Amino acid sequence: MPIPPEVAAVLAGLALPAPAIACRPLAGGHINRSFLVELAAPPWGLVLQRINPGVFPEPVRIMANLRLLADHLAAKGLPPAQRWQVPALIPAAGGADYLCTADGALWRALVQIPDAGHRERLTSSQEAREVGACLGRFHVWLADLDPRLLADPLPGFHDTPRYLADCEAVLAAHPAPLSAEEAWCQAFIARRRHRVGRLEEARRRGDMPVRLRHGDPKLANILFDRQGRALALIDLDTVGPGLLIHDVADCLRSACNQAGEGAAAGEVSFDLGIAAPILEGYFAEASGLWADQERQLLGSAVGLMALELGMRFFADHLAGDCYFRVCHAGANLRRARAQLELAASIEAQEEALSRLGQTAG
């Protein structure tokens, strides 16, 4: 499709390796606006993004993190057999890794990784192992990078008790009577108040050290080649200091729900048969980073990630859809109900999932 004037103005300020000839919006992201831009010559395509200032109020620090990560991974000298790729940044005409427009927005462009694609769902145990191994390698490669060197992109991210408090505050201030669907979500969350502090309590006890974590390793953020091998873990804006257990638990929450992130309530469930090879692949790479206490908490952590995301969607719905982008009214309520039902499915299998967490790898 033709290039919109807003996008054309941004592209004009970038040091493009070839002329841009077309672009289209990229769907699927909840946070940033993204476009796939077609170039007239190699590298043929790039992903252009406007960083959402409502989520990342200091986007320049996000870009500094991204540069540090790219340089750190490039210095690893990874062998070609591993085929790992980090999307390269296209500089602005002035040499910076980003472009600030007159309205104060920050835009960045990354080279599209060729012959790579997402998975809507996993189709084999081998693909599931690739997901786990991909995340495990990422954790190992960042293990020698001091977390203090990176700005925390989302302070309080995955602080589940904080999200519960936010949700309850929005509920208390909500003027209108709740619909039946809203009341269901409220009651579901209230019955699980006793669970939300488990990981934070373990962190405060020192059972889980702070390391660098990806922050959003859902299935959509893993790219595969045509042979089903994981090529890259993308969307690095959320990389920062945190707990590895959050990454692994959130990866399982996403990848083991075969209905997908956009599924409606009644369609979601947690597939333990997919969790097993993911954990095998992960701990084959990263078992040395984990203490026994962390592994013991993994079963409950997965359910907490679904509960946390459900609370965030629900609170945003009640607050007027201020955080997550939506295409229609009620979208965040639909997402909330699906994640809460997924949490229930995970809880029903928590004991078996805990055993996998302690024995895999």
Side-chain angles (χ1 to χ4, degrees), residues 82 129-141 278-290 361:
Q82 290 183 310
R129 287 190 189 89
E130 282 288 314
V131 167
C134 172
L135 183 56
R137 287 193 292 267
F138 186 80
H139 284 166
V140 169
W141 291 336
I278 289 177
L279 288 172
E280 288 169 5
Y282 177 82
F283 283 116
E285 299 285 344
S287 62
L289 300 179
W290 284 61

Side-chain angles (χ1 to χ4, degrees), residues 228-310:
R229 296 173 297 190
L231 279 179
L233 185 55
I234 60 170
D235 199 359
L236 303 180
D237 294 334
T238 52
V239 174
L243 304 179
L244 299 188
I245 196 170
H246 285 144
D247 266 5
V248 177
D250 203 35
C251 179
L252 291 168
R253 175 203 62 80
S254 168
C256 298
N257 168 27
Q258 286 287 72
E261 292 277 304
E267 299 174 352
V268 299
S269 63
F270 186 83
D271 192 330
L272 200 65
I274 296 174
I278 289 177
L279 288 172
E280 288 169 5
Y282 177 82
F283 283 116
E285 299 285 344
S287 62
L289 300 179
W290 284 61
D292 290 342
Q293 300 96 310
E294 289 175 283
R295 287 201 181 213
Q296 291 167 9
L297 287 166
L298 189 54
S300 61
V302 184
L304 277 175
M305 290 298 95
L307 176 62
E308 178 184 291
L309 186 54

Side-chain angles (χ1 to χ4, degrees), residues 185-204:
C185 292
Q186 179 189 33
F188 185 98
I189 293 165
R191 290 194 300 270
R192 284 154 179 82
R193 293 188 86 260
H194 66 286
R195 299 174 62 92
V196 299
R198 290 180 180 177
L199 298 183
E200 276 300 295
E201 291 163 6
R203 182 189 62 79
R204 286 194 295 266

Side-chain angles (χ1 to χ4, degrees), residues 80-292:
Q82 290 183 310
R83 305 188 77 249
W84 184 274
Q85 297 188 46
V86 178
L89 286 161
I90 299 293
D97 287 329
Y98 53 87
L99 178 71
C100 289
T101 52
D103 61 356
L106 185 147
W107 293 78
R108 52 107 182 274
L110 302 104
V111 174
Q112 183 187 21
I113 296 177
D115 298 320
H118 303 278
R119 292 289 187 271
E120 297 246 339
R121 59 186 54 83
L122 297 172
T123 60
S124 68
S125 294
Q126 181 54 39
E127 282 187 353
R129 287 190 189 89
E130 282 288 314
V131 167
C134 172
L135 183 56
R137 287 193 292 267
F138 186 80
H139 284 166
V140 169
W141 291 336
L142 294 189
D144 59 346
L145 181 58
D146 188 343
R148 294 171 296 183
L149 296 177
L150 275 77
D152 190 345
L154 295 169
F157 191 51
H158 287 322
D159 182 345
T160 315
R162 190 200 75 172
Y163 290 121
L164 173 63
D166 291 346
C167 188
E168 292 179 336
V170 173
L171 274 164
H174 191 63
L178 298 181
S179 68
E181 191 83 345
E182 291 167 343
W184 184 94
C185 292
Q186 179 189 33
F188 185 98
I189 293 165
R191 290 194 300 270
R192 284 154 179 82
R193 293 188 86 260
H194 66 286
R195 299 174 62 92
V196 299
R198 290 180 180 177
L199 298 183
E200 276 300 295
E201 291 163 6
R203 182 189 62 79
R204 286 194 295 266
R205 289 195 305 267
D207 292 344
M208 295 186 289
V210 172
R211 301 184 178 95
L212 279 178
R213 49 98 180 109
H214 179 277
D216 191 21
K218 60 189 178 185
L219 184 58
N221 284 335
I222 296 174
L223 296 184
F224 294 81
D225 66 12
R226 293 177 181 176
Q227 288 72 46
R229 296 173 297 190
L231 279 179
L233 185 55
I234 60 170
D235 199 359
L236 303 180
D237 294 334
T238 52
V239 174
L243 304 179
L244 299 188
I245 196 170
H246 285 144
D247 266 5
V248 177
D250 203 35
C251 179
L252 291 168
R253 175 203 62 80
S254 168
C256 298
N257 168 27
Q258 286 287 72
E261 292 277 304
E267 299 174 352
V268 299
S269 63
F270 186 83
D271 192 330
L272 200 65
I274 296 174
I278 289 177
L279 288 172
E280 288 169 5
Y282 177 82
F283 283 116
E285 299 285 344
S287 62
L289 300 179
W290 284 61
D292 290 342

